[in-house]
């Protein structure tokens, strides 16, 4: 097989596996797009999205496309995100809002929205398993737990005190500075710097967020009258929140060190 043909086949497999790993998030995004232009049901759209997400999660478990341990960690991230969302969407804070009516939710927060965070955890859990991810120079696991806790606390406290996001991003870069993750698409082992991987996932989440806000699933204060592209500054928030999800998934998929020489 020529180098070009092998590279193309590997690239194709990489794309297909990425799509498979994103199945939960892709399902939600598809529903969001479809229901923006066609929604024939009487129940509130947010309630329908919640029921559809729960049903899809059950299907993933029944067909063993997701393990019970993975689902447990994803549920934990859902709960963690729900607490943050209730705070962020409260009348006192109002970081963003959900403009439509709903019955299933708390305060200003429709419960289905937690599944958008679950989609991130689902992707990370599945990609870890599908690509047989391993690491070199992985930091002490206790540092990663501390990082995740500090990031989560900052999502609340930055409204009242100094915003530590850039300090936390620097902290992230320091502890993962030497870390690479290794993955197998076909047969050959590839590697990528951990920080670059974090950034790329955050970038795709930000792109998905633009689709969601365009469909008015949630909106920021500057999008009340008309839609605008979500500020690129939100990338830092997604970068940090994605790390919280990653650390939670690492509880199930214990980070394994690479054992081969490239």
């Amino acid at each position: 097989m020529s180098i070009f043909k092998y590279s193309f086949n590997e690239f194709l497999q990489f794309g297909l596996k990425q799509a498979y790993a994103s199945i939960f998030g892709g399902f939600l995004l598809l529903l969001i797009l479809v229901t923006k232009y066609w929604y024939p049901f009487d129940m509130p759209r947010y309630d329908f999205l919640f029921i559809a997400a729960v049903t899809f999660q059950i299907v993933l478990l029944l067909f063993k496309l997701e393990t019970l341990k993975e689902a447990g960690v994803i549920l934990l991230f859902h709960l963690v995100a729900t607490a943050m969302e209730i705070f962020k969407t409260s009348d006192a804070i109002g970081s963003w809002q959900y403009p439509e009516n709903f019955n299933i939710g708390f305060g200003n927060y429709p419960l289905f929205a937690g599944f958008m965070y679950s989609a991130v955890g689902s992707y990370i859990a599945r990609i870890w398993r599908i690509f047989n991810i391993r690491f070199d120079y992985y930091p002490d696991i206790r540092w990663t737990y501390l990082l995740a806790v500090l990031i989560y606390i900052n999502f609340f406290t930055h409204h009242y005190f100094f915003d530590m996001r850039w300090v936390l991003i620097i902290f992230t870069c320091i502890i993962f500075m030497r870390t690479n993750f290794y993955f197998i698409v076909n047969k050959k082992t590839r590697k990528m710097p951990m920080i670059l991987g974090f950034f790329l996932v955050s970038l795709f989440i930000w792109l998905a967020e633009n689709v969601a806000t365009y469909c008015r699933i949630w909106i920021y204060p500057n999008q009340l009258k008309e839609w605008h592209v979500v500020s690129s500054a939100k990338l830092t928030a997604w970068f940090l929140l994605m790390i919280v999800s990653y650390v939670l998934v690492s509880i199930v998929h214990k980070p394994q060190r690479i054992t081969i020489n490239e």
Side-chain angles (χ1 to χ4, degrees):
M1 180 183 295
S2 68
I3 294 177
F4 174 79
K5 186 175 181 181
Y6 179 85
S7 298
F8 176 77
N9 287 338
E10 186 178 34
F11 178 77
L12 181 61
Q13 288 186 51
F14 178 80
L16 291 173
K17 287 185 176 183
Q18 285 283 350
Y20 171 65
S22 307
I23 188 171
F24 191 83
F27 172 76
L28 285 181
L29 207 57
L30 178 63
L31 277 185
I32 286 169
L33 281 167
V34 170
T35 56
K36 172 179 171 57
Y37 297 103
W38 180 73
Y39 186 71
F41 307 112
D42 291 332
M43 74 170 66
R45 181 163 69 131
Y46 292 159
D47 293 351
F48 168 78
L49 290 171
F50 173 80
I51 294 170
V54 171
T55 302
F56 194 70
Q57 180 67 72
I58 292 172
V59 169
L60 290 178
L61 289 171
L62 288 177
F63 286 90
K64 298 183 179 179
L65 299 175
E66 200 163 77
T67 68
L68 282 173
K69 285 186 177 180
E70 288 171 349
V73 172
I74 292 165
L75 175 61
L76 176 60
F77 186 45
H78 189 129
L79 296 175
V80 166
T82 293
M84 185 187 72
E85 279 271 353
I86 292 173
F87 172 79
K88 292 283 191 179
T89 58
S90 66
D91 294 333
I93 303 299
S95 295
W96 56 83
Q97 64 179 265
Y98 295 89
E100 299 182 21
N101 296 324
F102 59 88
N103 296 313
I104 306 174
F106 303 98
N108 299 325
Y109 167 69
L111 199 55
F112 98 91
F115 283 102
M116 293 185 287
Y117 295 94
S118 299
V120 178
S122 177
Y123 167 79
I124 294 174
R126 195 171 285 108
I127 211 76
W128 202 316
R129 175 164 42 86
I130 293 170
F131 286 96
N132 189 26
I133 290 179
R134 291 159 292 165
F135 305 87
D136 63 11
Y137 302 105
Y138 197 85
D140 188 319
I141 198 74
R142 291 171 294 184
W143 284 115
T144 67
Y145 292 162
L146 175 62
L147 174 62
V149 170
L150 291 176
I151 288 172
Y152 188 67
I153 291 173
N154 187 67
F155 278 120
F156 294 86
T157 59
H158 83 84
H159 289 283
Y160 308 104
F161 307 107
F162 176 68
D163 188 352
M164 298 285 290
R165 76 176 61 196
W166 285 107
V167 175
L168 293 167
I169 288 173
I170 292 171
F171 183 25
T172 302
C173 292
I174 290 173
I175 67 173
F176 286 104
M177 180 170 52
R178 299 179 64 198
T179 308
N180 295 296
F181 70 92
Y182 294 75
F183 58 98
I184 300 174
V185 178
N186 186 2
K187 295 180 180 179
K188 187 174 178 60
T189 300
R190 306 287 185 181
K191 75 174 182 178
M192 179 182 292
M194 197 71 181
I195 299 299
L196 177 59
F198 285 153
F199 172 75
L200 291 175
V201 173
S202 303
L203 179 61
F204 279 102
I205 296 172
W206 177 77
L207 292 172
E209 179 183 39
N210 274 281
V211 174
T213 55
Y214 174 75
C215 295
R216 295 185 69 81
I217 288 296
W218 76 87
I219 52 176
Y220 292 103
N222 70 331
Q223 296 173 323
L224 285 173
K225 293 184 178 179
E226 62 178 336
W227 181 78
H228 301 281
V229 172
V230 176
S231 170
S232 58
K234 289 293 181 182
L235 272 169
T236 58
W238 283 117
F239 180 88
L240 292 172
L241 193 62
M242 183 271 304
I243 289 173
V244 174
S245 177
Y246 163 79
V247 172
L248 287 173
V249 172
S250 74
I251 296 172
V252 172
H253 294 291
K254 302 295 183 183
Q256 301 294 319
R257 295 186 180 277
I258 189 75
T259 57
I260 62 173
N261 294 320
E262 293 297 320

